Amino acid sequence: MKSEAEYSSHGIAVSPGIAIGPAYIIGQHGVPVPEYDIPASQIDRELKRLHTAIAKTQKQLGQLKQKAATLPAGAEDVALLLEAHQGMLSSSRLVHGVEELIRVNRLNAEAAIQRQIATIKASFAAMGDPYLAARADDVSEVGTRLIRHLLQQHYNPFDAVSDGSIIVAEEITPADMALMDPKNVAGFITVLGGAEGHAAIMARALGLPSVSGLPDIMQQAQVGDMIIIDGRKGDVILRPSAETLHYYRQELTKKQREDKKLWALRETPAITADGTPITLCANIELARDLDAAIEAGATGIGLLRTEFMFMNRPDLPSEEEQYDLLRKLVHRLDGRPLTVRTLDVGGEKLATALGQVIGESANPALGLRAIRLGLKEPKLLETQLSAILRASTHGPVRILIPMVSSVAQMKQVREHLVQVERRLHRRGIKFSGLPPVGAMIEIPAAALAADALARVCDFFAIGSNDLTQYTLAIDRGDERVAELYDPFHPAVLRLIQFTAAAAWRANIPVSLCGEIAGDRFATALLLGLGLRELSMAALRIPAVKQEIRDLAMPQAVAFAEAVLGQSDEATIRGLLHRGVGTSDELAKEKRKKDK
Ligand code: PEP
Ligand code: MG
């Protein structure tokens, strides 16, 4: 029976803001299924297709179960449900029925599954038992998973999302984010996912409130339920009472008023109160984000994550296709620099066409990914470099290499670049000079070797997201350890300071493009640590600019010193929230103690 009662849940605050809207539950909207007859000679092949899909679904459910099992309250129910779903895939009425439909009726596997689901549902419904009716939904869910694997193509689960919906899903991937039209979405709530994964970054970039780590949300939410997300605190309310709704509507209006005030700053220069100019760039994950970046007053793109070009497709993009896209971005930027990061797949970021090459790894975050993959698959890297070089003839472009851990890797990249340039030269494409080539500093080894790397790099971009992950050995996308993930851990801050200092010594530019660049509470600290360029989600630029304009550099330096003098993250967070004034208080306290 449909519940009417208000229901609250608390999870991980992934993307701030308040959203109010009707639920759109992923997985409860059908997949279009083709139906055709198969010849007798193809029956074995069709059965094999079915069993491959069953194996993949089993594996997917196993992974979900493993993740869900250690979530807080309510997790056992989810784990049990997923286990029941796994049970439906072995020697069950669903599987036997489908096999028979393939063998006897010579139906393709997808259509056979759909027909068998309908048969089971009809027989359960005839018994008039509410428990069995719920099991029929489970059969349907498992069947839909199987069909998706069989189709092996990304269908767009967001096609039917209507204006202002709140997406409710087990998990949202970066590829899903690329498929949806953000204009129709008000926010997301999910069972799985941490605050630092790429889908989370994309939600923040779009300014869409989001909460994850909600184990029972798929069971509690019903299609069309009104939902409130408070992404600042990680709260979610289903079917709110009139009183609750009134409170959040007021909060939403307040927030919109504040945002409007900040937005007025977008044309104002980012200069500290004592006259130090700071460069504020935007990170973009999808080509469609560029307009928002320009509107928010970004002076360039500090990080273009090129992974989107490889998502939601079975093949690799050609050089021409990549060039075409980059050229359009360069033109649209109209003289503002574009920093193109070479492909950073592997780890949590996947591209279908590279699945075979990357393969399985016990530790994907430590495995074949980013530039390691590029150097192993030179054609992949050179195709991309060629497209970037060609785009650089239309405006200022910088090349950024992800996951660099050694000087040798940068030297190898430069050798590939020279090869590519020569080849382009032979094709009659000429350059006035090669674009600057820089390294992402996101592995502790790279930060500690920053002096040596600075000799082979034209610039650095500090990736504090991965730098935190690898320094603290915390999987950034795993909600179970999300509370241990802290970019303000003193060890991470020291590596940032060390990198910035090495860049200054070598006289090369250094920026920071991890998520903390867009955290206004971190602005004074980052400036005090030596950064003069920050790249962030476009929507964060005005608030960070406001901080910069209220700040004098000596204050920022003293504040960073005070922060680095602390030994634990909790005290550091406290200082960041109390603001730069605290460094004076601390200095006074210290003087008192010293007397
Ligand atoms: C980072 O690691 O901080 C970064 C900016 O790159 P990504 O988040 O894409 O890994
Ligand atoms: Mg990174």
Side-chain angles (χ1 to χ4, degrees), residues 303-347:
L303 170 64
L304 170 69
R305 291 182 166 103
T306 54
E307 293 76 66
F308 74 92
M309 298 186 199
F310 296 72
M311 283 174 191
N312 294 318
R313 55 186 296 160
D315 55 349
L316 293 171
S318 66
E319 176 188 318
E320 214 48 40
E321 215 178 310
Q322 296 186 50
Y323 161 63
D324 214 46
L325 224 147
L326 294 172
R327 178 177 51 82
K328 282 188 193 136
L329 294 179
V330 172
H331 277 306
R332 179 81 184 86
L333 279 162
D334 197 19
R336 302 174 188 91
L338 173 67
T339 310
V340 186
R341 185 174 70 185
T342 59
L343 186 63
D344 186 10
V345 291

mmCIF file of all heavy atoms in Angstrom, residues 303-347:
data_model
loop_
_atom_site.group_PDB
_atom_site.id
_atom_site.type_symbol
_atom_site.label_atom_id
_atom_site.label_comp_id
_atom_site.label_asym_id
_atom_site.label_seq_id
_atom_site.Cartn_x
_atom_site.Cartn_y
_atom_site.Cartn_z
ATOM 1 N N LEU A 303 40.706 23.076 -16.081
ATOM 2 C CA LEU A 303 40.687 21.616 -16.201
ATOM 3 C C LEU A 303 39.516 21.200 -17.074
ATOM 4 O O LEU A 303 38.359 21.387 -16.701
ATOM 5 C CB LEU A 303 40.547 20.962 -14.819
ATOM 6 C CG LEU A 303 40.281 19.453 -14.792
ATOM 7 C CD1 LEU A 303 41.459 18.684 -15.389
ATOM 8 C CD2 LEU A 303 40.038 18.969 -13.371
ATOM 9 N N LEU A 304 39.855 20.662 -18.261
ATOM 10 C CA LEU A 304 38.818 20.039 -19.088
ATOM 11 C C LEU A 304 39.013 18.543 -18.935
ATOM 12 O O LEU A 304 40.029 17.989 -19.358
ATOM 13 C CB LEU A 304 38.962 20.443 -20.558
ATOM 14 C CG LEU A 304 38.074 19.649 -21.530
ATOM 15 C CD1 LEU A 304 36.601 19.991 -21.335
ATOM 16 C CD2 LEU A 304 38.470 19.901 -22.981
ATOM 17 N N ARG A 305 38.046 17.887 -18.294
ATOM 18 C CA ARG A 305 38.140 16.435 -18.124
ATOM 19 C C ARG A 305 37.635 15.816 -19.433
ATOM 20 O O ARG A 305 36.440 15.866 -19.715
ATOM 21 C CB ARG A 305 37.280 15.973 -16.948
ATOM 22 C CG ARG A 305 37.799 16.426 -15.577
ATOM 23 C CD ARG A 305 36.923 15.888 -14.463
ATOM 24 N NE ARG A 305 37.525 16.011 -13.147
ATOM 25 C CZ ARG A 305 37.193 16.945 -12.245
ATOM 26 N NH1 ARG A 305 36.264 17.830 -12.522
ATOM 27 N NH2 ARG A 305 37.773 16.967 -11.064
ATOM 28 N N THR A 306 38.531 15.237 -20.228
ATOM 29 C CA THR A 306 38.137 14.780 -21.568
ATOM 30 C C THR A 306 37.426 13.418 -21.568
ATOM 31 O O THR A 306 37.035 12.926 -22.620
ATOM 32 C CB THR A 306 39.375 14.692 -22.497
ATOM 33 O OG1 THR A 306 40.363 13.880 -21.852
ATOM 34 C CG2 THR A 306 39.934 16.054 -22.793
ATOM 35 N N GLU A 307 37.255 12.844 -20.382
ATOM 36 C CA GLU A 307 36.645 11.506 -20.319
ATOM 37 C C GLU A 307 35.272 11.470 -20.988
ATOM 38 O O GLU A 307 34.849 10.463 -21.537
ATOM 39 C CB GLU A 307 36.498 11.031 -18.856
ATOM 40 C CG GLU A 307 37.797 10.772 -18.135
ATOM 41 C CD GLU A 307 38.510 12.041 -17.697
ATOM 42 O OE1 GLU A 307 37.999 12.775 -16.845
ATOM 43 O OE2 GLU A 307 39.600 12.305 -18.253
ATOM 44 N N PHE A 308 34.547 12.598 -20.946
ATOM 45 C CA PHE A 308 33.177 12.602 -21.483
ATOM 46 C C PHE A 308 33.141 12.220 -22.958
ATOM 47 O O PHE A 308 32.164 11.674 -23.447
ATOM 48 C CB PHE A 308 32.503 13.965 -21.263
ATOM 49 C CG PHE A 308 32.995 15.065 -22.179
ATOM 50 C CD1 PHE A 308 32.361 15.315 -23.378
ATOM 51 C CD2 PHE A 308 34.101 15.828 -21.835
ATOM 52 C CE1 PHE A 308 32.814 16.325 -24.221
ATOM 53 C CE2 PHE A 308 34.560 16.836 -22.668
ATOM 54 C CZ PHE A 308 33.920 17.078 -23.871
ATOM 55 N N MET A 309 34.257 12.488 -23.668
ATOM 56 C CA MET A 309 34.264 12.162 -25.098
ATOM 57 C C MET A 309 34.245 10.643 -25.328
ATOM 58 O O MET A 309 33.979 10.178 -26.413
ATOM 59 C CB MET A 309 35.529 12.720 -25.764
ATOM 60 C CG MET A 309 35.646 14.222 -25.695
ATOM 61 S SD MET A 309 37.069 14.748 -26.673
ATOM 62 C CE MET A 309 37.358 16.366 -26.007
ATOM 63 N N PHE A 310 34.593 9.889 -24.280
ATOM 64 C CA PHE A 310 34.715 8.435 -24.414
ATOM 65 C C PHE A 310 33.542 7.696 -23.763
ATOM 66 O O PHE A 310 33.503 6.473 -23.759
ATOM 67 C CB PHE A 310 36.041 7.959 -23.769
ATOM 68 C CG PHE A 310 37.260 8.497 -24.469
ATOM 69 C CD1 PHE A 310 37.619 9.831 -24.350
ATOM 70 C CD2 PHE A 310 38.048 7.664 -25.253
ATOM 71 C CE1 PHE A 310 38.736 10.342 -24.992
ATOM 72 C CE2 PHE A 310 39.168 8.156 -25.907
ATOM 73 C CZ PHE A 310 39.514 9.509 -25.781
ATOM 74 N N MET A 311 32.603 8.445 -23.197
ATOM 75 C CA MET A 311 31.505 7.796 -22.455
ATOM 76 C C MET A 311 30.309 7.486 -23.345
ATOM 77 O O MET A 311 30.102 8.166 -24.353
ATOM 78 C CB MET A 311 30.988 8.757 -21.384
ATOM 79 C CG MET A 311 31.831 8.872 -20.168
ATOM 80 S SD MET A 311 31.096 10.198 -19.176
ATOM 81 C CE MET A 311 32.373 10.419 -17.976
ATOM 82 N N ASN A 312 29.495 6.525 -22.890
ATOM 83 C CA ASN A 312 28.226 6.211 -23.558
ATOM 84 C C ASN A 312 28.387 5.896 -25.031
ATOM 85 O O ASN A 312 27.593 6.324 -25.869
ATOM 86 C CB ASN A 312 27.226 7.368 -23.389
ATOM 87 C CG ASN A 312 26.826 7.544 -21.944
ATOM 88 O OD1 ASN A 312 26.592 6.566 -21.248
ATOM 89 N ND2 ASN A 312 26.786 8.773 -21.480
ATOM 90 N N ARG A 313 29.446 5.212 -25.386
ATOM 91 C CA ARG A 313 29.631 4.785 -26.774
ATOM 92 C C ARG A 313 30.493 3.527 -26.773
ATOM 93 O O ARG A 313 31.338 3.353 -25.893
ATOM 94 C CB ARG A 313 30.299 5.904 -27.584
ATOM 95 C CG ARG A 313 31.613 6.385 -26.974
ATOM 96 C CD ARG A 313 32.189 7.576 -27.695
ATOM 97 N NE ARG A 313 32.537 7.235 -29.058
ATOM 98 C CZ ARG A 313 32.691 8.144 -30.014
ATOM 99 N NH1 ARG A 313 32.549 9.424 -29.736
ATOM 100 N NH2 ARG A 313 33.023 7.785 -31.233
ATOM 101 N N PRO A 314 30.284 2.660 -27.768
ATOM 102 C CA PRO A 314 31.035 1.409 -27.765
ATOM 103 C C PRO A 314 32.423 1.548 -28.387
ATOM 104 O O PRO A 314 33.262 0.668 -28.261
ATOM 105 C CB PRO A 314 30.160 0.486 -28.628
ATOM 106 C CG PRO A 314 29.407 1.414 -29.525
ATOM 107 C CD PRO A 314 29.266 2.717 -28.814
ATOM 108 N N ASP A 315 32.670 2.675 -29.107
ATOM 109 C CA ASP A 315 33.943 2.822 -29.819
ATOM 110 C C ASP A 315 34.725 4.024 -29.282
ATOM 111 O O ASP A 315 34.263 4.735 -28.395
ATOM 112 C CB ASP A 315 33.672 3.018 -31.319
ATOM 113 C CG ASP A 315 32.732 4.200 -31.562
ATOM 114 O OD1 ASP A 315 32.154 4.709 -30.582
ATOM 115 O OD2 ASP A 315 32.597 4.624 -32.719
ATOM 116 N N LEU A 316 35.910 4.237 -29.874
ATOM 117 C CA LEU A 316 36.724 5.379 -29.435
ATOM 118 C C LEU A 316 36.489 6.564 -30.363
ATOM 119 O O LEU A 316 36.294 6.382 -31.568
ATOM 120 C CB LEU A 316 38.205 4.984 -29.484
ATOM 121 C CG LEU A 316 38.633 3.905 -28.491
ATOM 122 C CD1 LEU A 316 40.057 3.450 -28.780
ATOM 123 C CD2 LEU A 316 38.531 4.418 -27.065
ATOM 124 N N PRO A 317 36.558 7.786 -29.841
ATOM 125 C CA PRO A 317 36.366 8.939 -30.731
ATOM 126 C C PRO A 317 37.588 9.121 -31.640
ATOM 127 O O PRO A 317 38.729 8.941 -31.195
ATOM 128 C CB PRO A 317 36.234 10.114 -29.755
ATOM 129 C CG PRO A 317 36.930 9.664 -28.513
ATOM 130 C CD PRO A 317 36.788 8.183 -28.451
ATOM 131 N N SER A 318 37.348 9.457 -32.889
ATOM 132 C CA SER A 318 38.472 9.638 -33.827
ATOM 133 C C SER A 318 39.183 10.963 -33.530
ATOM 134 O O SER A 318 38.657 11.807 -32.805
ATOM 135 C CB SER A 318 37.927 9.690 -35.257
ATOM 136 O OG SER A 318 37.131 10.859 -35.399
ATOM 137 N N GLU A 319 40.353 11.128 -34.142
ATOM 138 C CA GLU A 319 41.090 12.394 -33.964
ATOM 139 C C GLU A 319 40.222 13.563 -34.440
ATOM 140 O O GLU A 319 40.133 14.602 -33.784
ATOM 141 C CB GLU A 319 42.393 12.356 -34.769
ATOM 142 C CG GLU A 319 43.143 13.675 -34.713
ATOM 143 C CD GLU A 319 44.334 13.726 -35.651
ATOM 144 O OE1 GLU A 319 45.063 12.721 -35.743
ATOM 145 O OE2 GLU A 319 44.529 14.777 -36.305
ATOM 146 N N GLU A 320 39.563 13.352 -35.592
ATOM 147 C CA GLU A 320 38.761 14.412 -36.194
ATOM 148 C C GLU A 320 37.643 14.848 -35.239
ATOM 149 O O GLU A 320 37.401 16.046 -35.043
ATOM 150 C CB GLU A 320 38.160 13.842 -37.492
ATOM 151 C CG GLU A 320 38.004 14.815 -38.615
ATOM 152 C CD GLU A 320 39.240 15.658 -38.902
ATOM 153 O OE1 GLU A 320 40.366 15.118 -38.845
ATOM 154 O OE2 GLU A 320 39.060 16.863 -39.154
ATOM 155 N N GLU A 321 37.008 13.857 -34.641
ATOM 156 C CA GLU A 321 35.900 14.129 -33.726
ATOM 157 C C GLU A 321 36.390 14.914 -32.504
ATOM 158 O O GLU A 321 35.776 15.889 -32.077
ATOM 159 C CB GLU A 321 35.363 12.775 -33.266
ATOM 160 C CG GLU A 321 33.881 12.717 -33.054
ATOM 161 C CD GLU A 321 33.479 11.303 -32.643
ATOM 162 O OE1 GLU A 321 33.887 10.325 -33.313
ATOM 163 O OE2 GLU A 321 32.788 11.182 -31.642
ATOM 164 N N GLN A 322 37.533 14.486 -31.968
ATOM 165 C CA GLN A 322 38.079 15.166 -30.781
ATOM 166 C C GLN A 322 38.497 16.589 -31.142
ATOM 167 O O GLN A 322 38.242 17.541 -30.411
ATOM 168 C CB GLN A 322 39.281 14.398 -30.227
ATOM 169 C CG GLN A 322 38.923 13.021 -29.713
ATOM 170 C CD GLN A 322 40.106 12.343 -29.031
ATOM 171 O OE1 GLN A 322 40.755 12.903 -28.176
ATOM 172 N NE2 GLN A 322 40.396 11.109 -29.428
ATOM 173 N N TYR A 323 39.138 16.710 -32.301
ATOM 174 C CA TYR A 323 39.591 18.032 -32.755
ATOM 175 C C TYR A 323 38.405 18.978 -32.921
ATOM 176 O O TYR A 323 38.426 20.121 -32.456
ATOM 177 C CB TYR A 323 40.372 17.870 -34.065
ATOM 178 C CG TYR A 323 40.507 19.158 -34.859
ATOM 179 C CD1 TYR A 323 41.202 20.252 -34.334
ATOM 180 C CD2 TYR A 323 39.934 19.277 -36.123
ATOM 181 C CE1 TYR A 323 41.304 21.429 -35.062
ATOM 182 C CE2 TYR A 323 40.040 20.447 -36.849
ATOM 183 C CZ TYR A 323 40.720 21.529 -36.311
ATOM 184 O OH TYR A 323 40.820 22.700 -37.008
ATOM 185 N N ASP A 324 37.382 18.449 -33.540
ATOM 186 C CA ASP A 324 36.200 19.254 -33.811
ATOM 187 C C ASP A 324 35.599 19.823 -32.520
ATOM 188 O O ASP A 324 35.266 21.001 -32.424
ATOM 189 C CB ASP A 324 35.174 18.342 -34.494
ATOM 190 C CG ASP A 324 34.369 19.123 -35.484
ATOM 191 O OD1 ASP A 324 34.979 19.889 -36.245
ATOM 192 O OD2 ASP A 324 33.127 18.992 -35.455
ATOM 193 N N LEU A 325 35.519 18.940 -31.535
ATOM 194 C CA LEU A 325 34.954 19.354 -30.248
ATOM 195 C C LEU A 325 35.826 20.404 -29.557
ATOM 196 O O LEU A 325 35.352 21.438 -29.076
ATOM 197 C CB LEU A 325 34.874 18.107 -29.371
ATOM 198 C CG LEU A 325 33.582 17.968 -28.622
ATOM 199 C CD1 LEU A 325 33.237 16.517 -28.470
ATOM 200 C CD2 LEU A 325 33.671 18.650 -27.287
ATOM 201 N N LEU A 326 37.142 20.123 -29.544
ATOM 202 C CA LEU A 326 38.069 21.043 -28.874
ATOM 203 C C LEU A 326 38.103 22.399 -29.578
ATOM 204 O O LEU A 326 38.142 23.447 -28.932
ATOM 205 C CB LEU A 326 39.478 20.429 -28.826
ATOM 206 C CG LEU A 326 39.617 19.180 -27.949
ATOM 207 C CD1 LEU A 326 40.999 18.548 -28.121
ATOM 208 C CD2 LEU A 326 39.389 19.522 -26.482
ATOM 209 N N ARG A 327 38.090 22.338 -30.895
ATOM 210 C CA ARG A 327 38.134 23.584 -31.668
ATOM 211 C C ARG A 327 36.930 24.468 -31.310
ATOM 212 O O ARG A 327 37.062 25.666 -31.091
ATOM 213 C CB ARG A 327 38.132 23.259 -33.161
ATOM 214 C CG ARG A 327 38.138 24.474 -34.086
ATOM 215 C CD ARG A 327 38.210 24.066 -35.549
ATOM 216 N NE ARG A 327 37.216 23.062 -35.918
ATOM 217 C CZ ARG A 327 35.946 23.325 -36.215
ATOM 218 N NH1 ARG A 327 35.504 24.546 -36.217
ATOM 219 N NH2 ARG A 327 35.118 22.345 -36.525
ATOM 220 N N LYS A 328 35.777 23.835 -31.185
ATOM 221 C CA LYS A 328 34.573 24.602 -30.840
ATOM 222 C C LYS A 328 34.730 25.253 -29.461
ATOM 223 O O LYS A 328 34.345 26.401 -29.250
ATOM 224 C CB LYS A 328 33.349 23.692 -30.847
ATOM 225 C CG LYS A 328 32.868 23.406 -32.249
ATOM 226 C CD LYS A 328 31.546 22.670 -32.214
ATOM 227 C CE LYS A 328 31.237 22.109 -33.587
ATOM 228 N NZ LYS A 328 30.748 20.741 -33.572
ATOM 229 N N LEU A 329 35.312 24.491 -28.532
ATOM 230 C CA LEU A 329 35.497 25.041 -27.182
ATOM 231 C C LEU A 329 36.461 26.222 -27.219
ATOM 232 O O LEU A 329 36.218 27.260 -26.598
ATOM 233 C CB LEU A 329 36.036 23.964 -26.220
ATOM 234 C CG LEU A 329 35.117 22.779 -25.907
ATOM 235 C CD1 LEU A 329 35.793 21.807 -24.965
ATOM 236 C CD2 LEU A 329 33.810 23.256 -25.280
ATOM 237 N N VAL A 330 37.563 26.060 -27.972
ATOM 238 C CA VAL A 330 38.562 27.137 -28.068
ATOM 239 C C VAL A 330 37.912 28.395 -28.649
ATOM 240 O O VAL A 330 38.095 29.493 -28.130
ATOM 241 C CB VAL A 330 39.776 26.685 -28.919
ATOM 242 C CG1 VAL A 330 40.710 27.857 -29.193
ATOM 243 C CG2 VAL A 330 40.528 25.561 -28.222
ATOM 244 N N HIS A 331 37.132 28.233 -29.700
ATOM 245 C CA HIS A 331 36.463 29.388 -30.308
ATOM 246 C C HIS A 331 35.529 30.064 -29.315
ATOM 247 O O HIS A 331 35.528 31.273 -29.168
ATOM 248 C CB HIS A 331 35.663 28.965 -31.548
ATOM 249 C CG HIS A 331 36.524 28.877 -32.766
ATOM 250 N ND1 HIS A 331 37.306 29.930 -33.181
ATOM 251 C CD2 HIS A 331 36.761 27.868 -33.634
ATOM 252 C CE1 HIS A 331 37.983 29.564 -34.266
ATOM 253 N NE2 HIS A 331 37.669 28.314 -34.555
ATOM 254 N N ARG A 332 34.751 29.227 -28.643
ATOM 255 C CA ARG A 332 33.765 29.774 -27.695
ATOM 256 C C ARG A 332 34.470 30.528 -26.560
ATOM 257 O O ARG A 332 33.943 31.492 -26.016
ATOM 258 C CB ARG A 332 32.930 28.598 -27.157
ATOM 259 C CG ARG A 332 31.875 28.945 -26.139
ATOM 260 C CD ARG A 332 30.621 29.463 -26.786
ATOM 261 N NE ARG A 332 29.655 29.887 -25.783
ATOM 262 C CZ ARG A 332 29.617 31.081 -25.210
ATOM 263 N NH1 ARG A 332 30.486 31.992 -25.541
ATOM 264 N NH2 ARG A 332 28.710 31.388 -24.301
ATOM 265 N N LEU A 333 35.695 30.097 -26.213
ATOM 266 C CA LEU A 333 36.430 30.739 -25.110
ATOM 267 C C LEU A 333 37.013 32.084 -25.524
ATOM 268 O O LEU A 333 37.427 32.871 -24.665
ATOM 269 C CB LEU A 333 37.533 29.809 -24.589
ATOM 270 C CG LEU A 333 37.025 28.744 -23.620
ATOM 271 C CD1 LEU A 333 38.025 27.620 -23.476
ATOM 272 C CD2 LEU A 333 36.732 29.361 -22.257
ATOM 273 N N ASP A 334 37.115 32.293 -26.802
ATOM 274 C CA ASP A 334 37.466 33.602 -27.321
ATOM 275 C C ASP A 334 38.709 34.218 -26.657
ATOM 276 O O ASP A 334 38.657 35.323 -26.107
ATOM 277 C CB ASP A 334 36.235 34.519 -27.107
ATOM 278 C CG ASP A 334 36.313 35.768 -27.951
ATOM 279 O OD1 ASP A 334 37.069 35.758 -28.924
ATOM 280 O OD2 ASP A 334 35.631 36.755 -27.620
ATOM 281 N N GLY A 335 39.803 33.480 -26.685
ATOM 282 C CA GLY A 335 41.071 34.010 -26.162
ATOM 283 C C GLY A 335 41.375 33.600 -24.726
ATOM 284 O O GLY A 335 42.500 33.732 -24.256
ATOM 285 N N ARG A 336 40.361 33.094 -23.993
ATOM 286 C CA ARG A 336 40.644 32.608 -22.639
ATOM 287 C C ARG A 336 41.308 31.232 -22.779
ATOM 288 O O ARG A 336 40.928 30.458 -23.662
ATOM 289 C CB ARG A 336 39.363 32.447 -21.821
ATOM 290 C CG ARG A 336 38.531 33.710 -21.666
ATOM 291 C CD ARG A 336 37.225 33.333 -20.970
ATOM 292 N NE ARG A 336 36.277 34.420 -20.925
ATOM 293 C CZ ARG A 336 35.352 34.662 -21.854
ATOM 294 N NH1 ARG A 336 35.276 33.898 -22.932
ATOM 295 N NH2 ARG A 336 34.505 35.652 -21.711
ATOM 296 N N PRO A 337 42.285 30.911 -21.920
ATOM 297 C CA PRO A 337 42.988 29.633 -22.103
ATOM 298 C C PRO A 337 42.141 28.393 -21.779
ATOM 299 O O PRO A 337 41.292 28.435 -20.890
ATOM 300 C CB PRO A 337 44.171 29.735 -21.131
ATOM 301 C CG PRO A 337 43.786 30.794 -20.158
ATOM 302 C CD PRO A 337 42.823 31.716 -20.827
ATOM 303 N N LEU A 338 42.410 27.326 -22.509
ATOM 304 C CA LEU A 338 41.737 26.036 -22.280
ATOM 305 C C LEU A 338 42.801 25.012 -21.869
ATOM 306 O O LEU A 338 43.734 24.745 -22.632
ATOM 307 C CB LEU A 338 41.054 25.575 -23.578
ATOM 308 C CG LEU A 338 40.449 24.165 -23.573
ATOM 309 C CD1 LEU A 338 39.252 24.079 -22.628
ATOM 310 C CD2 LEU A 338 40.005 23.745 -24.988
ATOM 311 N N THR A 339 42.676 24.458 -20.679
ATOM 312 C CA THR A 339 43.620 23.432 -20.224
ATOM 313 C C THR A 339 42.983 22.069 -20.462
ATOM 314 O O THR A 339 41.986 21.732 -19.811
ATOM 315 C CB THR A 339 43.927 23.617 -18.720
ATOM 316 O OG1 THR A 339 44.274 24.984 -18.499
ATOM 317 C CG2 THR A 339 45.054 22.706 -18.272
ATOM 318 N N VAL A 340 43.537 21.342 -21.424
ATOM 319 C CA VAL A 340 42.938 20.051 -21.782
ATOM 320 C C VAL A 340 43.716 18.940 -21.091
ATOM 321 O O VAL A 340 44.916 18.774 -21.317
ATOM 322 C CB VAL A 340 43.015 19.803 -23.307
ATOM 323 C CG1 VAL A 340 42.263 18.532 -23.682
ATOM 324 C CG2 VAL A 340 42.468 20.988 -24.072
ATOM 325 N N ARG A 341 43.036 18.200 -20.250
ATOM 326 C CA ARG A 341 43.712 17.072 -19.610
ATOM 327 C C ARG A 341 43.552 15.843 -20.488
ATOM 328 O O ARG A 341 42.445 15.564 -20.973
ATOM 329 C CB ARG A 341 43.107 16.798 -18.227
ATOM 330 C CG ARG A 341 43.868 15.707 -17.484
ATOM 331 C CD ARG A 341 43.368 15.527 -16.083
ATOM 332 N NE ARG A 341 42.046 14.940 -16.057
ATOM 333 C CZ ARG A 341 41.348 14.764 -14.946
ATOM 334 N NH1 ARG A 341 41.831 15.161 -13.787
ATOM 335 N NH2 ARG A 341 40.152 14.214 -14.981
ATOM 336 N N THR A 342 44.649 15.119 -20.706
ATOM 337 C CA THR A 342 44.540 13.905 -21.522
ATOM 338 C C THR A 342 43.720 12.872 -20.744
ATOM 339 O O THR A 342 43.524 12.997 -19.525
ATOM 340 C CB THR A 342 45.927 13.340 -21.911
ATOM 341 O OG1 THR A 342 46.645 13.052 -20.728
ATOM 342 C CG2 THR A 342 46.702 14.327 -22.764
ATOM 343 N N LEU A 343 43.276 11.878 -21.456
ATOM 344 C CA LEU A 343 42.305 10.916 -20.920
ATOM 345 C C LEU A 343 42.714 10.352 -19.548
ATOM 346 O O LEU A 343 43.822 9.862 -19.370
ATOM 347 C CB LEU A 343 42.149 9.776 -21.931
ATOM 348 C CG LEU A 343 41.081 8.755 -21.627
ATOM 349 C CD1 LEU A 343 39.707 9.410 -21.616
ATOM 350 C CD2 LEU A 343 41.122 7.640 -22.646
ATOM 351 N N ASP A 344 41.779 10.429 -18.623
ATOM 352 C CA ASP A 344 42.037 9.939 -17.259
ATOM 353 C C ASP A 344 41.054 8.814 -16.927
ATOM 354 O O ASP A 344 40.312 8.906 -15.967
ATOM 355 C CB ASP A 344 41.906 11.115 -16.275
ATOM 356 C CG ASP A 344 42.304 10.742 -14.854
ATOM 357 O OD1 ASP A 344 42.858 9.651 -14.657
ATOM 358 O OD2 ASP A 344 42.061 11.547 -13.944
ATOM 359 N N VAL A 345 41.006 7.779 -17.780
ATOM 360 C CA VAL A 345 40.111 6.660 -17.443
ATOM 361 C C VAL A 345 40.878 5.607 -16.668
ATOM 362 O O VAL A 345 42.093 5.628 -16.566
ATOM 363 C CB VAL A 345 39.439 5.979 -18.662
ATOM 364 C CG1 VAL A 345 38.426 6.884 -19.308
ATOM 365 C CG2 VAL A 345 40.454 5.476 -19.628
ATOM 366 N N GLY A 346 40.099 4.638 -16.149
ATOM 367 C CA GLY A 346 40.653 3.643 -15.239
ATOM 368 C C GLY A 346 40.187 4.047 -13.858
ATOM 369 O O GLY A 346 39.547 5.077 -13.694
ATOM 370 N N GLY A 347 40.490 3.245 -12.855
ATOM 371 C CA GLY A 347 39.986 3.546 -11.516
ATOM 372 C C GLY A 347 38.474 3.575 -11.568
ATOM 373 O O GLY A 347 37.841 2.690 -12.136
#
